[in-house]
Amino acid sequence: MKTGSKHSSKVSLGLKENWKQFTLLVIINGFVGGMVGLERTILPEIAEVDFGMAAKTAILSFIVVFGVVKALSNFYAGALADRIGRRKLLITGWLFALPVPFMLMYAGSWSWIIAANVLLGINQGLAWSSTVVMKIDLVGERNRGLAMGLNESAGYASVALVAFATGWVASEYGLRPYPFYIGIGLAGLGLLGSWLLIKDTIHHVRAESETSTVPRLKRLFAETSWKHPNLGSVTQAGLVNNLNDGLVWGLLPILLADLDFSLGLIGVITGIYPAVWGVGQLATGKMADHLSKKKMLFWGMLLQGVTLVLMGWAVSYLQFILLSFTLGLGTAIVYPTFLAAVADNTHPGQRAQSIGIFRLWRDLGYAIGALLTGVLADWFGIYTAVFAIGALTFASAWVIQLRMREKRYTQESKL
């Protein structure tokens, strides 16, 4: 205990006080997001063109694997962050990323694509979780929303940028191998930057723990998953958010191809959604520090639900551009607010684990979404899948409205 007090007296919490490390972590998370962008536009096309896959459930199998592995990695990252340190966890995450672009560009069978997504899921779970927790550690309570907005903005803006880039490269030079050269650079820079420039933040956690008034939760997994009114509301919304993202990731390129859009135009439409999602969080993250988190989550999920339903009726390029924009806006409203709300409702000493549990359920949404939409698309058609996921997202918004409390819930759950 004395050791913690000694070190905590030497550190200060705040964005201004820790801007150098914070900025480096923003850049590193941009590289993390870029790794997902490698697949965003062209992997469904590779499945059909290179491997002759027609069934939507089979094509979306890579998202199922990615989602499950990333979710489990998130969960264990929460515990490992306290045990081995945030920095070591970040470096370990990048080591898993190094083989991914090579496996994607030279895969001779779909099983290699699946294997690459296992490694990518581990990379995303460990590396993204590390940057999230480290930024929250650095800034303290006052700027959590802004911190998460900057973190998620960097990550998803990079998803969009790389999705644009791979779509253009693929349209000019072919689906493989050239688009995946980008991934080699991202993985190399991410690993070197994490190893040479990033410092651990455990002492910032100890400093905040000395003054925190948030009680510890006795049943952390159950409380974060559902029993705690605020944490449970946030967690279910996170799962549904990534469930509908799994739909957009896996089926939207196929839907657009069926409507005879070119690969370049598909890249623009699929790239606008994460671009708005990413850039929008620069504003919505700061808003979450000042506005009602409950209202932001409700309206953000409601906007996503309405947009997805309307997407089922869209036919023109302009319509899809506008809907991709509004879907990105709805996601930008909720994404940094999720993490800020989880941090608000957990003790600093339990924060990493609680965020890991939230991210476990949130990213299981990828797998559930890919399975559900794949089955619905194969049995009833793509449009039925789009309408069903839109309705589910709409329902999630009302769970937040009816269950979540406006003010921080500082008592142990009585449910």
Side-chain angles (χ1 to χ4, degrees):
M1 187 69 184
K2 291 181 180 179
T3 301
S5 299
K6 179 180 178 181
H7 285 291
S8 63
S9 64
K10 297 180 181 180
V11 301
S12 298
L13 302 177
L15 184 56
K16 182 178 179 181
E17 292 82 354
N18 298 285
W19 71 270
K20 292 181 180 178
Q21 276 294 297
F22 189 93
T23 301
L24 288 171
L25 285 166
V26 169
I27 295 170
I28 293 294
N29 203 54
F31 296 147
V32 178
M35 293 299 296
V36 177
L38 287 176
E39 299 186 338
R40 200 85 193 188
T41 300
I42 62 175
L43 209 54
E45 189 78 5
I46 289 174
E48 292 187 329
V49 174
D50 288 0
F51 299 108
M53 301 175 71
K56 305 301 184 289
T57 307
I59 292 174
L60 299 187
S61 60
F62 79 95
I63 300 178
V64 176
V65 170
F66 171 81
V68 170
V69 174
K70 184 178 182 230
L72 292 173
S73 299
N74 286 332
F75 177 71
Y76 287 107
L80 289 172
D82 292 327
R83 187 173 303 173
I84 70 172
R86 278 86 156 131
R87 176 178 174 272
K88 289 182 180 178
L89 195 65
L90 178 60
I91 293 171
T92 302
W94 278 115
L95 291 174
F96 280 97
L98 290 177
V100 171
F102 296 99
M103 295 173 72
L104 293 174
M105 71 172 70
Y106 295 121
S109 67
W110 190 247
S111 62
W112 279 96
I113 302 293
I114 297 297
N117 274 271
V118 170
L119 298 182
L120 183 62
I122 297 173
N123 159 251
Q124 295 293 301
L126 300 186
W128 204 308
S129 292
S130 300
T131 61
V132 164
V133 173
M134 292 173 86
K135 287 190 183 70
I136 291 178
D137 292 344
L138 290 172
V139 302
E141 183 175 359
R142 188 174 60 176
N143 288 310
R144 276 181 189 145
L146 176 60
M148 290 302 91
L150 291 168
N151 183 80
E152 302 301 287
S153 177
Y156 285 96
S158 295
V159 171
L161 182 62
V162 176
F164 278 128
T166 54
W168 179 81
V169 173
S171 66
E172 293 291 323
Y173 303 104
L175 290 169
R176 295 193 292 170
Y178 297 105
F180 298 109
Y181 288 166
I182 299 169
I184 299 173
L186 292 171
L189 290 171
L191 177 60
L192 288 174
S194 301
W195 176 39
L196 298 175
L197 302 174
I198 299 301
K199 299 176 183 177
D200 214 315
T201 58
I202 190 64
H203 301 315
H204 294 78
V205 178
R206 291 170 180 161
E208 188 180 351
S209 295
E210 293 175 1
T211 60
S212 176
T213 60
V214 180
R216 286 182 174 269
L217 299 171
K218 291 183 178 179
R219 301 176 299 278
L220 188 60
F221 186 87
E223 297 277 7
T224 304
S225 298
W226 179 252
K227 286 192 172 183
H228 191 293
N230 283 6
L231 292 172
S233 298
V234 172
T235 296
Q236 67 82 27
L239 186 150
V240 173
N241 181 93
N242 280 23
L243 185 151
N244 69 48
D245 186 36
L247 163 75
V248 175
W249 184 356
L251 286 189
L252 183 58
I254 297 173
L255 185 153
L256 294 171
D258 289 345
L259 292 172
D260 294 325
F261 287 101
S262 68
L263 193 58
L265 293 180
I266 292 173
V268 172
I269 294 169
T270 58
I272 284 176
Y273 158 56
V276 176
W277 175 354
V279 175
Q281 290 176 98
L282 294 173
T284 60
K286 186 61 178 175
M287 289 166 60
D289 290 323
H290 299 284
L291 303 179
S292 164
K293 292 181 175 64
K294 174 181 176 177
K295 290 179 180 178
M296 288 186 67
L297 292 174
F298 170 72
W299 287 108
M301 294 301 291
L302 195 69
L303 180 59
Q304 290 181 47
V306 171
T307 299
L308 286 169
V309 171
L310 291 176
M311 194 171 283
W313 297 97
V315 292
S316 72
Y317 179 62
L318 179 59
Q319 288 172 339
F320 278 108
I321 289 290
L322 293 174
L323 290 171
S324 185
F325 181 91
T326 57
L327 186 61
L329 179 60
T331 310
I333 292 171
V334 300
Y335 227 68
T337 313
F338 286 149
L339 293 165
V342 172
D344 277 355
N345 287 274
T346 50
H347 186 274
Q350 294 180 311
R351 180 190 300 142
Q353 293 183 63
S354 188
I355 288 176
I357 294 165
F358 162 74
R359 286 167 60 84
L360 163 72
W361 289 112
R362 190 196 67 186
D363 288 337
L364 277 176
Y366 280 124
I368 296 170
L371 282 172
L372 179 59
T373 57
V375 169
L376 288 173
D378 281 334
W379 289 2
F380 305 106
I382 289 179
Y383 289 99
T384 298
V386 173
F387 290 134
I389 301 307
L392 189 59
T393 306
F394 187 86
S396 175
W398 283 99
V399 172
I400 293 169
Q401 180 67 14
L402 296 174
R403 187 166 190 248
M404 190 173 179
R405 303 184 181 187
E406 284 283 1
K407 294 183 179 180
R408 181 185 300 170
Y409 187 65
T410 56
Q411 301 177 16
E412 294 178 12
S413 175
K414 297 179 182 179
L415 301 178

